[in-house]
Amino acid sequence: MLRVALLGCGTVGTGVLELLSRSSLPLVVRGVAVAHLDRPRAPVVSPELLTDRPFELVSQSDVDVVVELIGGLDPAESLVRAALEAGKDVVTANKALIAERGEALLALARSRGRRLLYEASVCAGTPVIRAARALAAGGVWRLAGILNGTCNYVLSRMAAGMEFDDAVRLAQQRGFAEADPTLDISGRDAAQKLVVLVREAMGLVVPPDAFAVEGIAQVRRGDLLAAREQGYALKLVAVARRDGEKLQLRVHPGLIPLGHPLAQVEEELNALLIESDGTGEVFLRGRGAGALPTATAVLADLLELMTGAGTMTLATPARLSIVPHGEVRARRLLRIEVADELRAVRTLTDQLAAAGVSLDHLSAYPVPDRGTVLTVLTGRAPGANLANALAALVRADLCTAPVRSYLLEELGEEGT
Ligand code: HSE
């Protein structure tokens, strides 16, 4: 019988207790640490298990495993350290903790002969971490994912006509969004998940602030429709692409060809495409947020502790370099709001030509009271060249709103 202590009893903690109450797994919960003893709780939470002394709970001698479900770095990090130092295995759903402090905590766990497992930290019950580990030995060279359920939900709802703020509110009500939804909307949540996956799949340790991260706050409904007209879905994508010692990493609203399985991931669903030399393409899609999907992953880790399965990590090459975003060659869809259409088009075409960026498509739609929205599809070019051309447009005072630029992910059509 595995003896478990839970830290935190919010959405996920309650979900873990709910699943345990329905199962016959050989697990017993010894205690549940909470910040507020007197808060109303679901019937599945036995009041006699509650304590507001988490440090005492994690070092109790009748506890084998500590499950950390508090989130954030403080006090979660100190508690996980205390648990490992007290000789307990640890299971956590905390992606910030694993992305920011994973190496140090894994080293501590190893030094104490304990395990630290975190399947629930990325895509909840959709087992992307196990899949990434399983494929790592075959040389993973690309990860492309939709890793944030809230953003995918908001973009799906906007495409169906809902306002941005209403869609965010609905995601909060449905339990997908973080306590602070700016973590979702800004792309930081997806960036933390990408960092965790890069370590599992590629064996590479990168900090979450070492690459370009852009969220969905600037996306307008018209951008989603314009992308679709050009044959693409506009999604918050997280991409890691390894080419020898060069590593591209990015999280941003990007374009996926409509026929690609990633383009068909709607609402709060998550998905991950893993491409490796050994296995080719593996695609996973499923629920990546919410109480029971996340609790399922927590229980999967507890079962792994009971059955003793192993994990693998690879050494990071000393010369690995992260490719600056401006050097990434790609096609891009631009949405540019202008008042003087003729002058803007002339300046834009001149500047794109001067920057060596070809123009594959240009259309203009009048928008009542806002002038004209230009939709531009460029040829493949480094992002920095395009940024120079767009800066000239802004300098000439031709734009009435910030230019939106969406990178087109050339999944399955490399090098065209
Ligand atoms: N806020 C996260 C999401 C929850 O929307 O994907 C799961 O990490």
Side-chain angles (χ1 to χ4, degrees):
M1 192 62 89
L2 196 70
R3 301 167 301 174
V4 178
L6 287 191
L7 304 179
C9 196
T11 305
V12 180
T14 307
V16 167
L17 293 170
E18 172 72 42
L19 280 188
L20 279 178
S21 73
R22 299 185 203 170
S23 80
S24 55
L25 296 172
L27 295 172
V28 58
V29 177
R30 289 289 191 220
V32 180
V34 295
H36 306 283
L37 286 173
D38 47 3
R39 189 168 281 176
R41 310 215 172 252
V44 78
V45 185
S46 310
E48 66 275 13
L49 288 178
L50 297 181
T51 170
D52 58 0
R53 295 166 183 261
F55 284 94
E56 285 176 20
L57 180 62
V58 301
S59 46
Q60 242 170 251
S61 61
D62 62 348
V63 166
D64 305 309
V65 188
V66 171
V67 176
E68 185 276 307
L69 303 171
I70 299 171
L73 295 182
D74 181 35
E77 182 181 9
S78 315
L79 284 163
V80 167
R81 284 185 168 278
L84 292 169
E85 276 160 3
K88 319 296 182 190
D89 293 316
V90 173
V91 170
T92 177
N94 188 332
K95 69 218 124 188
L97 184 67
I98 296 301
E100 308 261 354
R101 306 279 197 265
E103 281 316 287
L105 292 175
L106 284 166
L108 175 61
R110 271 192 295 274
S111 75
R112 301 290 160 138
R114 302 320 320 164
R115 304 279 309 278
L116 169 63
L117 298 180
Y118 40 87
E119 180 64 62
S121 66
V122 184
C123 298
T126 304
V128 290
I129 289 185
R130 281 187 174 75
R133 277 183 195 157
L135 295 168
V140 173
W141 61 272
R142 177 155 60 191
L143 300 169
I146 294 176
L147 303 181
N148 185 271
T150 300
C151 288
N152 206 47
Y153 182 77
V154 169
L155 294 179
S156 298
R157 294 286 91 210
M158 281 171 71
M162 193 179 273
E163 293 297 329
F164 181 91
D165 290 342
D166 294 335
V168 173
R169 209 168 307 118
L170 212 51
Q172 285 177 290
Q173 281 165 13
R174 297 191 58 190
F176 313 139
E178 297 298 300
D180 172 5
T182 54
L183 284 172
D184 299 294
I185 300 306
S186 66
R188 273 182 57 206
D189 174 273
Q192 289 167 345
K193 292 169 177 168
L194 184 64
V195 163
V196 176
L197 288 174
V198 163
R199 185 178 48 227
E200 302 303 323
M202 298 177 171
L204 303 175
V205 178
V206 288
D209 56 1
F211 56 95
V213 176
E214 183 193 335
I216 62 166
Q218 304 303 322
V219 177
R220 300 289 171 270
R221 189 164 170 257
D223 303 348
L224 294 157
L225 303 179
R228 187 157 282 270
E229 273 170 22
Q230 296 299 320
Y232 300 99
L234 179 48
K235 300 280 186 190
L236 185 80
V237 289
V239 176
R241 191 192 156 139
R242 182 169 185 181
D243 189 3
E245 289 172 346
K246 297 226 174 286
L247 181 65
Q248 284 185 37
L249 290 167
R250 53 178 182 270
V251 170
H252 60 166
L255 301 183
I256 314 278
L258 282 174
H260 193 276
L262 272 176
Q264 289 146 28
V265 177
E266 297 290 359
E267 303 292 321
E268 77 274 21
L269 291 186
N270 282 189
L272 179 67
L273 175 71
I274 307 175
E275 292 181 75
S276 67
D277 295 333
T279 311
E281 292 188 4
V282 171
F283 184 74
L284 287 100
R285 177 174 74 166
R287 295 198 185 285
L292 295 189
T294 312
T296 304
V298 169
L299 291 191
D301 280 349
L302 291 172
L303 289 174
E304 180 169 324
L305 288 175
M306 283 189 279
T307 55
T311 62
M312 182 181 85
T313 50
L314 304 173
T316 304
R319 291 175 54 202
L320 185 82
S321 70
I322 295 177
V323 178
H325 201 49
E327 287 178 19
V328 174
R329 283 178 61 80
R331 302 179 70 199
R332 290 172 175 82
L333 180 83
L334 309 176
R335 298 275 289 164
I336 309 171
E337 299 185 22
V338 299
D340 184 341
E341 180 186 331
L342 284 183
R343 205 158 72 85
V345 169
R346 204 164 42 234
T347 308
L348 179 69
T349 46
D350 288 350
Q351 291 296 333
L352 287 178
V357 182
S358 66
L359 195 159
D360 292 355
H361 167 95
L362 189 151
S363 53
Y365 297 90
V367 180
D369 305 328
R370 280 180 28 220
T372 302
V373 181
L374 304 178
T375 301
V376 177
L377 199 53
T378 74
R380 292 184 104 222
N385 295 29
L386 181 64
N388 288 340
L390 294 177
L393 206 66
V394 172
R395 268 198 310 277
D397 213 15
L398 287 164
C399 304
T400 54
V403 175
R404 275 107 61 199
S405 166
Y406 301 109
L407 187 150
L408 195 158
E409 293 298 341
E410 296 189 28
L411 300 165
E413 46 182 81
E414 289 303 314
T416 53

